[in-house]
Amino acid sequence: MSEIENKTEHGSMDGATAGTAEDPKNDTGLGLGVIFFIVAFLICFLSGWLLFPKLLYSKHEQPFNFDHVLHVEETGDCESCHYLRDDGTFSGIPKLASCLDCHTDEPMGETVDEAVFAAEYVAKEKEIPWYVYARQPDCVYFSHAAHTEAAGMDCKTCHGPIDETRTSRPYEENRLTGYSRDIWGKNIWGIKKNPWDSMKMDDCAKCHVQETGHKGYCFQCHK
Amino acid sequence: MIHDKKAHKYGMVIDLDKCTGCGTCAVSCMSENNVPFKEDESDKKDSITWMRVYRLTNGRPFPDTEVVYMPRPCQHCGGKGDHGHSPCVSVCPATATDYGYDTGIVSQIYTRCFGCRYCMAACPYHARYFNWWDPVWPEGMEKYLSPNVSPRMRGVVEKCSFCYHRYQLAREKAYVNGSGEVPEEDYQTACTTACPAGAIVFGDLNNPSHKVHQIVKPDPHPDPLNPDVVGKSRNPRVFRLLERLGTNPKVYYMSEREWVRKMGDHYLDGEWDKVKNVYGSASHE
Amino acid sequence: MFPFIFEWVWDIGHVLFFGGFWYAIGILGAGMTYCIVKSAIDAMNDTGDNHH
Amino acid sequence: MKVDRRSFLGLGIGAVAGIAVSPVGAKLTDDFSIWTQNWPWTPVPPDGEISYDRSVCNLCPGTCGITVRKIDGRPVKIEGLDTYPVNDGGVCLHGIAGLQYLYDPSRVKTPLKKVNQRFVPISWDEALAMVTGRLKQLQEDQNPEALACITGSGQGSVPGLFNHFMAAFGSPNCLTMPDLESWLVLTATTLHGPKQTLGFDIDHSDHILSFGAGLIDGWGSPVACIQAVAGRKQREATLVQIEPRLSNTAAGADRWIPINPGTEADLAMGMCGFLLKENLFDPVFAQGFKGGFMRFTAMVQKEYPLDKVAAVTGVSAADIQKTATAFAKAKMPVALPGKGRGEGAQSLKEFAAVHTLNCLTGNINKKGGAFVKPLPDYLSFPDPVLDDVAQKGAAAEPLAASAQALVARIDQSDQSPVEVLFVYNANPCFALNDPSRVAAAFEKIPFKVCVSPFMDETAMASDVILPVSTFLEQMEDVPSRGGLAASVVGLARPMVKPVFDTRSPGDVVIAVAGSLGGGVAQSFPWKNYEDCLKQVAGKIWNPLTRKGHVIVSGRPPAGSVETDFGFLAENPDTLKPAGDQEFTLIPIDNFRVPPTVPAPSPFAIKTVSDRILKGTDMFVEINPQSANHLKDGGFATLTTPAGSVRVRVHFNDGIMPGVIGMVKGLGHTLNNRYVSGKGVNINALISPTIEPGSGMDAAYGIRAGISKA
Amino acid sequence: MMDAALIPEGAKRCSFPKFMLGIAIVGAVLLWGVYAMLLCWFKGLNQTNMNDYYGFALWIWADLAVIALGGGAFFTGLLKYIFKVDELKNIINFAVIIGFICYSSALLILAIDIGQPLRGWFIFWHANVHSMLTEVAFCLSCYFAVLTIEFIPNILENRQLNKVPFFHHLAHNMHGTMAVFAATGAFLSFFHQGSLGGVAGVMYGRPFAVREGLLIWPWSFFLFTWSAAAFGPCFTLLVTRITEAVTGKKLVKDNVIHLLAKISGWMIVTYMIAKLIDTWYWAYYTAPGLGFELSHFYTNNGFYGYWILVAEIIVCGVIPGLLLINKSTRENPNFRLIAIILAVIGVSLNRWVMVLQIMAVPVMPFDTWALYIPSWQEVATTILPVAYGIILIAFAYRYLPVFPQELELNQPKVQES
């Protein structure tokens, strides 16, 4: 066997037994390992639970605050603003025009938001760039008529008690997917307590199986 | 699977004697379904045309030559025995295409497809197209894109959907009207409504009141000569493409001319003369 | 692939296919775990030997 | 204590374990999957309220009613308009592709002027100032007739405004491109007197004898014709198609009679002779015959005996008899002139001869026959105010009878008689025969103004381009034309705000007139085009705006019809294709390729067969029997007296041996990469021949040679 | 030499620079392939000459071919560990390495061949169990895991690694349990080799491909498994032969070679009988039943003529089979070499037909034959695995005790000196 090989042989022998060479009974190495383990575990575990969601979503404030309670009091129900058109399609977030059915460029209330609305949008005839909490991606086709008319569901079942909100919460956008946080749901594990807590395909399927006995075919919800 | 009696079976019948080969169906389809276009579309093997118009000739020399045009959308095959195992659906590894048992329409989901192209290999009609390039519209032209059909990205397969979005819209209309049932005239594909010659008739093959049913008279029973074949037409002038394969297309063709009907499938020597008179005779009325 | 995936149905096809799949994965997993654990133990032992 | 390998091991394992029991894995997996399904560069069309708006398509003489589907006011789809009297819900691929023209890469986005062979953007004011400056110059030089104008079609208020302007300015040189309507007007004028045109009641006729009219290849009002042909089966009508090639019309016809190209007129004359000899004509209607009917009868029987005609046309005498007899015996026969689309180079003799067959059967102004109807007169322009300069000019002799003749005139003279040229809604530098000669003539004209939405061949040859809106961006009256039985006027309405800095052509003319001052300005007393239209179309304005269309002449027209045989009795010669080579090259009108303006849309080009266009190579059709050494799909050199090009060969059993067919309308050079540089412009291979009787170009085909390249 | 410490004890290897030079040359080819691969990933599949008629092309053929050729690994493993054919221990390591190369290549090519590579995992996640391709994907990746497991001990036997006690024991223990892995491998291979045949066989819209079968499995399913088992070993033998030629050493004893050749020979012969029956039944019953005559599937254009049928079945099927079952020809090095080369060509040809000819044959009566010439990007990415294979084999041979009989067969002559 050659010189070099000889050396390397010993060298690596040392290496091979380094961990235990000095004193197999002294387990400080192991102890330290355990401590390191616990520390690392806690750091990663906690950041995974607490830090990660913060990093994943970017917050956007709505153009101005919208008081649903007030408007529901004034108009009576959701449908007066979020209505089905005659052709069965859903109007979604109202256009400025339908706001102007009641509003003018004269602020109606004292609130700052009212002023912003009148000055920035009504006066300038600009559509309000609302962030839509419940926006689904382009590949999704959703028929409000099928649910509210045919299945007789109410808005709340999927959208929650929005009518009871006095302020517009910030819109949280997933930095990776660009989706609204409402789709996956507030709970980072996707655990839901209320039917409106998340709006993913599985949520649709779950209800469809219960109600129709079938998840539905691709084209039922995709385009 | 939803197997209720009320299930629709949407299909079409194309009168090849009326078809002028003008290509309006193809363009109407492209414009309706956000089909892209590129600088050179003359290589028809990578040109996306959900509705393609083939030119058929009888192969006879001058002056006995005859020509007929055959528009070919996705055939929305019911598969062997019409059980819904279409050649393409059964092979898709990622469930990106499925058979709607409620409509008989074969779907294609672009966001799910990862572009293995097995479905294209399996389709004998070349009705499936691959996006070899990312679609690009000249500056500003993307303004005419319709929101009812999502534009595709590079690397996925697309095909005719029988304008399913029109069915979705018709359904919504039906819901607010309270009827819930979609009337024949409310769900028509873009090619059907566009055809200036009125050569295309579209509707529910299961619904005796629909024109397509009355023309095709589909035979509910399997063809005694070939149990895989179901829904054979009892109209002697009506035929399907490659019917013998048992793919059970929902697109029927119609022609007075024998050579055209013979063009629809392969026949060994002498077989045609046996078969041609059998058209419709398999019916059990 | 898992019962909680959208496409999953409890039909004969899925049971057979994924039954076979998870069975194979199981064997491979178990086999490797066994080897690794046993080797680790063996390694401990003979390093121990070195010192007696 | 010593940090050793195990510590790091612990660190690693701890980290992994920590992440594993946190939601990171599950969530990121899901988000990653979503991320790979929504690429930011894939457009997401905005959703909104669906609405439908109605208008009229003005892309071709078809004038179909259309409905435009909009999403929150954004047009996304064009479809046929149900119950519109022309097309009743039908539509063609070019109409549907209309939205592509709206955003076409070759749109002219702002006024342009040519500065040493390159175009530079200028303001509207500057552009109009340039134009009026030039015109004022002509007036000062007392030379208003040096202004010429070429428009696409003669009908409607916008061409009307151009005519009105020319009249007021004092120039007789206002010409239109040769479309089917212009040939029909010429024919009607020749046979039945001025201010009339012809219509054909195809969808009621029980026997249609078509002399090459491509009823389903784009002839006349394409959709209306396709519908009429499609309805044929139900009403058991016969369609007999006479042409050298198995066109789609011939393929769909009950009978196809191949004929030597360019001999249709002789065949028609032969049939006339036969019908007269056999007394197979309508004596009652014949009472309206005057102006040399006897001379005509004698002439056709002498000059066009069946055997001679058979020899010339290649149609057997028996066939001619059979066809003529069937035609004469039919209840409601109609004979159709106009090869292919019926536009471009045709022949007055042929039109007249074919229409004479209609006259002989007497099925004129009757259901299912030919209609001799007055030109639509729903427009009433005020009489132009002429100062003496204008009067002098107006009295001058017109330079030419047709655009092609004008080109020849300029070409021959070393100093162009035309100093300023307006071109509106026409592309002579592409659509006329021998376009290189047209371009040369343009070079000689000192100042050319192109009023066009697109940077087409003619625009590129101009000095100033005034960009106008497309039919989807402006209001305009759209009168039906091209052989329809009924005369319908539709109203095109703006479906969308102009996409670029464009104006309505009517406004352009009015603006120019206004800034010229004097009599011209007085002749244009309107604020703007809309105001003008409201007044000149006053008769029908209310119903027009209410219903979107008006049927100005019902069917069939009343009153007796007189027929003058003077022109035919002289037996003008049939122009044979020029040259002496082995083959005859004829243009093929393909439905999917528009022949003139506008150029094909990307969608239209996409539908073109790979046996017409492959890459940038053009195919020509030839019968394998006469292809001798050529190979199917192989390259060849096609040579005519006008030029020579490299093409590929497509064997087609459906074309007469000895004939070469080439699709018309390809080979554009405008700046739209989806359309340009594809194939060859057949017009470049055909040199014009002016027909004496009509003063129009009648060179439909030309002799050609083809050899392996 | 500088890397002597890594070289198996007592084994003679070429000088390190010479070795690296060789690696560099092959490495260049590898990089070319990698460049093409990146082009396909970043610019998309428009880099290929595939089209809507030729959705499956050169790559899919390469996949099917390498997997068939890699079949030597599972079959040899099956014989060695299950049927206890002990001589094969002298070639099993190499068979495993070849298998490892083939399967890793197959997976790589599949990853290039899909339009949206980042969604590739949908095939597992959203699996459609009715698709043969799903079965392929699952079994393929599982069996690749098995091959890795089978390869590991051999790696751990590297002189230095083996000195680490844990690795030493791991190698030992894995050898001990190898039978279990081999059995699983055989099970998986049976299915994925088969489902590759199934991929074509289930396409009932393609009369050239479609086959009747047993339950959900078309006959082509079983034929593919069988042919992989039959021809795979020939590839193992071929590569061994090449390695011997390159290294100028005898590495495996003849009796082992002969044994494997014999087994392979009999497998081939039996397979060919089955294949002939299948072809005959398809040509005389299946296709005509759909209105097709055999002549419809073969043209006179150079690519898809009858010659391909003859070449696949007779020249590269029956002939090598007979050569290998016949003792005298089998044990004659030259005949044996001819036989295994023909066999390797034969199975590749079969996969070629089952991919490219299927795509080329017109199905609609008015359709035409499709022709396809791969782009350089496709060729480069297909050559990539070859380069990668050569490099891996080179390293394995240099640093691992791949051939147990090497030292014994290449003893320095003692009587001299």
Side-chain angles (χ1 to χ4, degrees), chain B residues 36 39 42 48 69 143 166, chain D residues 74 79 606 615 673 678:
Chain B
E39 189 166 345
S42 67
I48 302 177
Y69 290 87
K143 284 200 200 70
R166 289 186 170 212
Chain D
R74 173 174 68 91
E79 280 163 325
K606 187 171 178 173
R673 63 197 186 94
K678 296 176 187 290

Side-chain angles (χ1 to χ4, degrees), chain D residues 458-489:
Chain D
T458 304
M460 283 188 275
S462 309
D463 302 291
V464 171
I465 306 174
L466 303 177
V468 289
S469 303
T470 63
F471 72 101
L472 291 168
E473 300 163 297
Q474 68 181 45
M475 176 176 278
E476 184 179 353
D477 58 317
V478 184
S480 68
R481 44 199 191 272
L484 274 179
S487 304
V488 181
V489 180

Side-chain angles (χ1 to χ4, degrees), chain E residues 46-176:
Chain E
N46 50 53
Q47 296 295 300
T48 72
N49 276 355
M50 287 189 278
N51 56 46
D52 294 336
Y53 274 52
Y54 261 108
F56 281 1
L58 186 71
W59 284 336
I60 296 289
W61 164 75
D63 270 318
L64 268 61
V66 293
I67 289 169
L69 298 170
F74 96 86
F75 190 58
T76 323
L78 185 73
L79 296 170
K80 161 80 174 62
Y81 296 105
I82 312 302
F83 300 122
K84 303 283 176 227
V85 185
D86 205 46
E87 300 87 327
L88 293 181
K89 68 170 182 297
N90 299 314
I91 196 164
I92 186 73
N93 288 346
F94 202 49
V96 166
I97 294 175
I98 295 168
F100 181 88
I101 292 165
C102 291
Y103 278 77
S104 45
S105 312
L107 289 170
L108 177 71
I109 295 176
L110 280 176
I112 306 169
D113 195 10
I114 55 180
Q116 287 281 339
L118 293 178
R119 299 184 199 164
W121 55 290
F122 287 7
I123 201 173
F124 303 107
W125 200 255
H126 301 288
N128 165 22
V129 295
H130 304 294
S131 170
M132 283 291 172
L133 208 58
T134 313
E135 200 168 322
V136 172
F138 273 90
C139 299
L140 203 66
S141 16
C142 292
Y143 182 60
F144 179 62
V146 173
L147 281 167
T148 320
I149 292 171
E150 292 185 331
F151 189 18
I152 288 171
N154 197 220
I155 300 173
L156 296 181
E157 279 160 4
N158 167 281
R159 206 155 99 220
Q160 298 309 328
L161 289 176
N162 206 267
K163 288 170 186 162
V164 181
F166 174 73
F167 289 163
H168 171 81
H169 289 292
L170 188 57
H172 176 77
N173 291 319
M174 287 179 76
H175 270 305

